[in-house]
Amino acid sequence: MSFELSLNTGTTPNLNLEEAVRHTAEAGLSHIGLWRHLLVDGAEAAAKVVSAAGLSVSSLCRGGFLTAAEPAGQAAALQENRQAIREAAALGTRELIMVVGGLPAAAHVLGGEGERNDRDVAGARARVADRLAELVPFAAEHDVRLVLEPLHPMYAADRAVLSTLEQALDMAAGHPAATVGVVVDTFHVWWDPRLAELIARAGTEGRLASYQVCDFNLPIAADALKSRGMMGDGYVDFASISRWVAEAGYTGPVEVEIFNEQINAQDAALTLATMKQRYNDLVLPSLRGVGSLV
Amino acid sequence: MSFELSLNTGTTPNLNLEEAVRHTAEAGLSHIGLWRHLLVDGAEAAAKVVSAAGLSVSSLCRGGFLTAAEPAGQAAALQENRQAIREAAALGTRELIMVVGGLPAAAHVLGGEGERNDRDVAGARARVADRLAELVPFAAEHDVRLVLEPLHPMYAADRAVLSTLEQALDMAAGHPAATVGVVVDTFHVWWDPRLAELIARAGTEGRLASYQVCDFNLPIAADALKSRGMMGDGYVDFASISRWVAEAGYTGPVEVEIFNEQINAQDAALTLATMKQRYNDLVLPSLRGVGSLV
């Protein structure tokens, strides 16, 4: 089977691991994308909970936050990411989603005007590339792929200095495709005028590791992280993007990851029922339309 | 003189034309960037007010909103933009800033599920290109340049389907550089990983028509349009971007355009004093450092 729908647990933040797994299985899904904070009893125990319910893990969220400027922060980030790599391996997923981090939030540069924000986005990007290179051998040893996630440019300052699929592919380019990939998250990249060609490039280069769907809602939420919406409620053209993803050869699970006050608060069974219907109506036909041809 | 500081009247929304001109002149500035709604007695009368104070108009804001899908909306947009072109000519500025418009807000597509948002971003972009081509001869006749403004991707759905400098330059490419240019607004483009090369390209192609500065603040404001900040208060690397702009050969006025609840509400003299100091401290040295060499 291809294009299996997967619940990313960011969509149901009030559920613990057992609850998220149970809801996912009861909804008839085969995959779940896990956030690390749910692994309270360790990855091995979580792997048993998941497999006992007949599910597979589509991805682990997340590694990253690699922009620290000081040696101590860099060492801590490497240690944290190595742990995330071990957990992904234990969970039986190859895909570790990487949110690379923004300008160092806590870093205050002492200049002529006293403390001010760090604004060296080029420097932060260079440090991400350096840390990534240091993690690649460890990830390869564990047969885990570091999946670079370009985030919407509205998060460039505080969350990810990686803003476009092109930039992610360029950063991945020096490393084996089996070890460094990219994820297409519709919320983050829908606006990119070069999206079609970049998704095709990701496919050609063998780096299209994950497809995450949710909508881009307006107005932007008071907490900008929670502007994501259920497919069909916002402005994303799921038919076009899904077609490009399938044309690029992607056949893996499709995760629904929605940070949204209202959806996150509502009954998880309702969320799962709605996302199944919207996925079947708005996303799957375009994936299958291509998938049946390739 | 080069790199003259200019007040864009979007920074002082509570001032009428006469007040904005008086404050600008009293602050010792030589240029002002006008919004069209200030031209209550027409562009010719406004031109007299501006020149009587010894000022020049650096740009007119704004034309654009070219994404309408229906003939009536398209005709209205063309009429409105022709009027803006006439006004720019009357004001003695060549630069008409163009915010191209988002997905047609009022357009509801009747589909199987009833009314829903228009999500055809590719179609909206094609319509912008078509309307631009229709306006070019009229702009050329009036010796006015249509200055395409790429807006931050957070506004791609509702305000401008033009999101990157590359996209703006590609759209301009078929037209004379004297008639279609681009503006670099730091708020909108600071995050772009290819910004240095794209500003250089804009210079090489003779299309760098305006440089607008303000900062990118966090958190994103409740009204996302008002997330702009005073230079130095946010995350923009003004030294690098200003250097690239000067290296690209730009020597024109530099507008400060800040939509921000607090700044917009405060005393305009304070705003002008602050923006002068921040400009002199954070922007001008990098412009002059290059400017003295070219």
Side-chain angles (χ1 to χ4, degrees):
Chain A
M1 289 286 287
S2 296
F3 312 123
E4 299 285 358
L5 181 60
S6 177
L7 172 73
N8 181 293
T9 61
T11 309
T12 53
N14 296 329
L15 304 187
N16 63 25
L17 177 71
E18 289 73 14
E19 292 165 342
V21 164
R22 177 170 59 76
H23 273 283
T24 303
E26 284 177 1
L29 273 55
S30 59
H31 286 72
I32 188 166
L34 294 179
W35 277 66
R36 290 184 64 205
H37 61 79
L38 293 185
L39 311 179
V40 286
D41 296 322
E44 287 77 9
K48 286 179 188 158
V49 172
V50 171
S51 65
L55 300 181
S56 299
V57 178
S58 49
S59 78
L60 180 63
C61 294
R62 60 192 180 189
F65 294 94
L66 301 172
T67 55
E70 303 79 26
Q74 296 179 355
L78 289 175
Q79 184 176 354
E80 192 64 31
N81 277 278
R82 289 196 190 101
Q83 179 60 20
I85 289 167
R86 283 187 210 101
E87 291 170 2
L91 288 165
T93 179
R94 295 205 71 250
E95 318 303 347
L96 176 62
I97 306 293
M98 303 286 284
V99 173
V100 302
L103 296 167
H108 293 284
V109 181
L110 283 174
E113 307 157 72
E115 291 196 329
R116 53 190 172 84
N117 295 329
D118 183 323
R119 301 186 181 86
D120 180 13
V121 65
R125 287 166 176 156
R127 292 194 297 276
V128 170
D130 289 346
R131 296 296 87 69
L132 181 70
E134 291 170 336
L135 288 169
V136 162
F138 192 84
E141 270 171 42
H142 289 75
D143 197 25
V144 165
R145 179 154 54 181
L146 305 170
V147 182
L148 300 174
E149 179 160 19
L151 258 59
H152 193 287
M154 80 170 83
Y155 309 127
D158 62 345
R159 198 145 296 258
V161 291
L162 206 53
S163 303
T164 66
L165 200 51
E166 177 176 55
Q167 192 189 5
L169 288 167
D170 288 350
M171 189 174 282
H175 304 292
T179 310
V180 182
V182 298
V183 49
V184 171
D185 180 313
T186 52
F187 178 89
H188 293 307
V189 300
W190 73 272
W191 58 271
D192 191 332
R194 299 177 57 199
L195 189 57
E197 69 176 275
L198 291 171
I199 290 175
R201 176 181 159 194
T204 301
E205 297 181 357
R207 297 192 193 271
L208 191 41
S210 175
Y211 182 38
Q212 295 181 333
V213 294
C214 77
D215 219 325
F216 183 92
N217 281 6
L218 285 180
I220 292 169
D223 176 351
L225 283 178
K226 299 189 174 171
S227 290
R228 301 165 73 106
M230 186 62 74
M231 297 81 76
D233 287 353
Y235 294 90
V236 169
D237 177 359
F238 288 103
S240 295
I241 300 177
S242 298
R243 180 164 50 80
W244 299 332
V245 164
E247 286 172 348
Y250 186 79
T251 57
V254 180
E255 286 189 14
V256 174
E257 185 186 42
I258 306 176
F259 314 133
N260 175 300
E261 287 283 359
Q262 187 251 313
I263 292 172
N264 292 165
Q266 78 189 7
D267 180 63
L270 171 61
T271 297
L272 274 149
T274 307
M275 70 181 237
K276 276 176 67 174
Q277 182 178 342
R278 298 292 181 89
Y279 178 71
N280 287 333
D281 289 349
L282 299 174
V283 180
L284 189 56
S286 298
L287 291 168
R288 285 231 176 106
V290 176
S292 63
L293 302 175
V294 293
Chain B
M1 290 286 288
S2 296
F3 312 124
E4 298 284 359
L5 181 59
S6 178
L7 173 73
N8 181 293
T9 61
T11 310
T12 53
N14 296 328
L15 303 187
N16 63 25
L17 177 71
E18 289 72 14
E19 293 165 340
V21 164
R22 178 170 59 76
H23 273 284
T24 303
E26 285 177 0
L29 273 56
S30 59
H31 286 72
I32 189 166
L34 295 179
W35 277 66
R36 292 183 62 205
H37 60 80
L38 293 185
L39 311 179
V40 286
D41 296 321
E44 287 77 9
K48 286 178 189 158
V49 172
V50 171
S51 64
L55 300 180
S56 299
V57 177
S58 49
S59 79
L60 180 63
C61 294
R62 61 197 178 183
F65 294 93
L66 302 171
T67 55
E70 303 79 26
Q74 296 178 356
L78 289 175
Q79 184 176 354
E80 191 64 29
N81 277 279
R82 289 196 190 100
Q83 178 60 20
I85 289 166
R86 283 187 210 100
E87 291 169 1
L91 288 165
T93 180
R94 297 204 70 250
E95 319 303 347
L96 176 61
I97 306 293
M98 303 285 285
V99 173
V100 301
L103 296 167
H108 293 283
V109 181
L110 283 173
E113 308 158 71
E115 291 196 328
R116 53 189 171 87
N117 295 328
D118 182 324
R119 300 186 182 87
D120 180 12
V121 65
R125 288 168 178 156
R127 292 193 297 276
V128 170
D130 289 347
R131 297 295 86 68
L132 181 70
E134 290 169 338
L135 288 169
V136 163
F138 191 83
E141 271 172 41
H142 289 76
D143 196 26
V144 164
R145 177 153 55 181
L146 306 170
V147 182
L148 300 175
E149 179 159 20
L151 258 58
H152 194 288
M154 78 171 85
Y155 308 127
D158 61 346
R159 199 146 295 258
V161 292
L162 205 52
S163 303
T164 66
L165 200 51
E166 177 177 54
Q167 192 189 4
L169 287 167
D170 287 350
M171 189 173 283
H175 305 292
T179 310
V180 183
V182 298
V183 49
V184 171
D185 180 314
T186 52
F187 178 91
H188 294 307
V189 300
W190 72 273
W191 58 271
D192 191 331
R194 297 178 57 198
L195 188 58
E197 71 177 274
L198 292 170
I199 290 175
R201 176 182 159 193
T204 301
E205 297 180 357
R207 296 193 194 271
L208 192 42
S210 174
Y211 182 39
Q212 295 180 334
V213 294
C214 77
D215 219 325
F216 182 93
N217 281 6
L218 286 180
I220 292 168
D223 176 350
L225 282 179
K226 299 190 175 171
S227 290
R228 300 166 73 105
M230 186 63 74
M231 298 81 77
D233 287 353
Y235 294 91
V236 169
D237 177 359
F238 288 102
S240 295
I241 300 177
S242 298
R243 182 163 49 81
W244 299 333
V245 165
E247 284 173 348
Y250 186 78
T251 58
V254 180
E255 285 188 15
V256 174
E257 185 186 42
I258 306 176
F259 314 133
N260 174 301
E261 287 282 0
Q262 187 251 313
I263 293 173
N264 293 165
Q266 79 188 6
D267 180 63
L270 171 60
T271 298
L272 274 149
T274 307
M275 71 181 236
K276 276 176 68 174
Q277 182 179 343
R278 299 290 181 89
Y279 178 71
N280 287 333
D281 289 348
L282 299 174
V283 180
L284 189 56
S286 298
L287 292 168
R288 284 231 175 106
V290 176
S292 63
L293 303 175
V294 294

